[in-house]
Amino acid sequence: MSVTFRDVKADLLDRIARGALRPGSLLPNETDLAARYGCARATVNRAMRELAEEGIVERRRRAGTRVRMAPVRQARFAIPLVREEIEAQGAQYRHDLLCRELLAAPDWLAGRLELAPGAEVLHLVCLHRADGMPYQHEDRWINLAAVPEARGADFAATGPNEWLVARLPFSSVEISLSAVAADRALAGTLGCAEGDALFRAERRTWLRGAAITLVRLTWRRGHRMTTRY
């Protein structure tokens, strides 16, 4: 039975867990490991890449591969569709388009998205509902130079996030998570008291260096986000 990269990875993880390979220790090179496991060097390479991606080892050109002194963990976030999030809870989804306007990017937005002065953007505000009750408030800005087709899109029929994910890839994302106090407008929209603490995620998305969108998503009171790493 041939040795797979999973076999190599599992054995290295076991040796690290048992202390046979201690934090900071140098691993044998790929050629020696391939001989040890009786497999191709490419098999070892893939196992080492996965261990590096998972933060277990650190690879440096000409310096070799070492067990990290402290494993690095990365929390990974997918861009979720609020429709799927709500339907996964067994609730019925719908959204209301509260605002749609074409305008020149405000100075603060131009700075955040590195847009040219006077760049045209589409501003959208939506309320996403679960079984008719307010669930998530979406305040989104779309760079029309990067997504010109958004100008004519029917966002009353399809929510902006769902529309963008279906049509446009992205190369990088920045997410900021915070707690905010509901102002009068948010309190009225989400059906909570003014001053209530609400969970907010702000997300900026790029494609090959060009800004696509900035969105602020604010959930109703009591929302909880969980990730595993």
Side-chain angles (χ1 to χ4, degrees):
M1 184 176 179
S2 61
V3 174
T4 70
F5 79 91
R6 293 184 181 86
D7 298 324
V8 175
K9 179 182 175 183
D11 186 66
L12 289 171
L13 282 171
D14 180 65
R15 294 175 67 194
I16 291 169
R18 289 186 290 105
L21 292 171
R22 301 184 66 81
S25 63
L26 184 68
L27 273 68
N29 62 43
E30 291 182 3
T31 301
D32 290 344
L33 284 172
R36 172 190 174 94
Y37 291 111
C39 63
R41 182 177 171 182
T43 301
V44 173
N45 181 268
R46 180 167 179 185
M48 299 293 268
R49 279 192 288 114
E50 288 207 357
L51 289 172
E53 288 170 359
E54 293 171 10
I56 305 299
V57 302
E58 182 178 19
R59 307 177 79 188
R60 292 187 178 179
R61 185 173 294 181
R62 298 190 180 91
T65 301
R66 293 183 181 274
V67 180
R68 282 189 177 272
M69 295 299 295
V72 174
R73 292 289 183 262
Q74 297 180 347
R76 301 188 179 186
F77 294 89
I79 292 186
L81 296 179
V82 66
R83 173 194 294 276
E84 294 178 355
E85 187 177 313
I86 289 171
E87 291 178 346
Q89 299 173 20
Q92 185 176 9
Y93 167 81
R94 72 177 176 89
H95 81 281
D96 303 324
L97 180 61
L98 306 179
C99 172
R100 177 188 178 122
E101 53 184 348
L102 288 168
L103 66 163
D107 290 344
W108 69 268
L109 180 68
R112 296 292 306 280
L113 294 183
E114 300 179 351
L115 303 178
E120 193 174 27
V121 294
L122 179 62
H123 181 216
L124 302 164
V125 179
C126 298
L127 176 63
H128 302 275
R129 297 178 180 272
D131 285 340
M133 299 298 293
Y135 182 84
Q136 181 196 82
H137 180 271
E138 175 179 359
D139 187 354
R140 181 181 296 273
W141 302 80
I142 298 175
N143 176 17
L144 290 176
V147 198
E149 57 270 36
R151 185 187 304 270
D154 183 3
F155 292 112
T158 304
N161 190 44
E162 195 168 343
W163 186 92
L164 284 166
V165 168
R167 288 165 176 78
L168 205 66
F170 60 89
S171 54
S172 60
V173 177
E174 179 187 274
I175 301 175
S176 300
L177 307 176
S178 63
V180 298
D183 58 19
R184 182 175 299 178
L186 268 179
T189 303
L190 288 174
C192 63
E194 190 172 348
D196 276 354
L198 304 176
F199 180 73
R200 172 175 288 174
E202 181 182 279
R203 188 170 67 233
R204 291 188 290 169
T205 310
W206 293 267
L207 176 60
R208 295 190 294 272
I212 299 172
T213 184
L214 181 149
V215 62
R216 289 173 178 153
L217 304 171
T218 309
W219 281 263
R220 66 187 178 188
R221 183 179 175 182
H223 183 77
R224 179 177 181 178
M225 176 179 286
T226 303
T227 185
R228 184 175 181 177
Y229 62 92

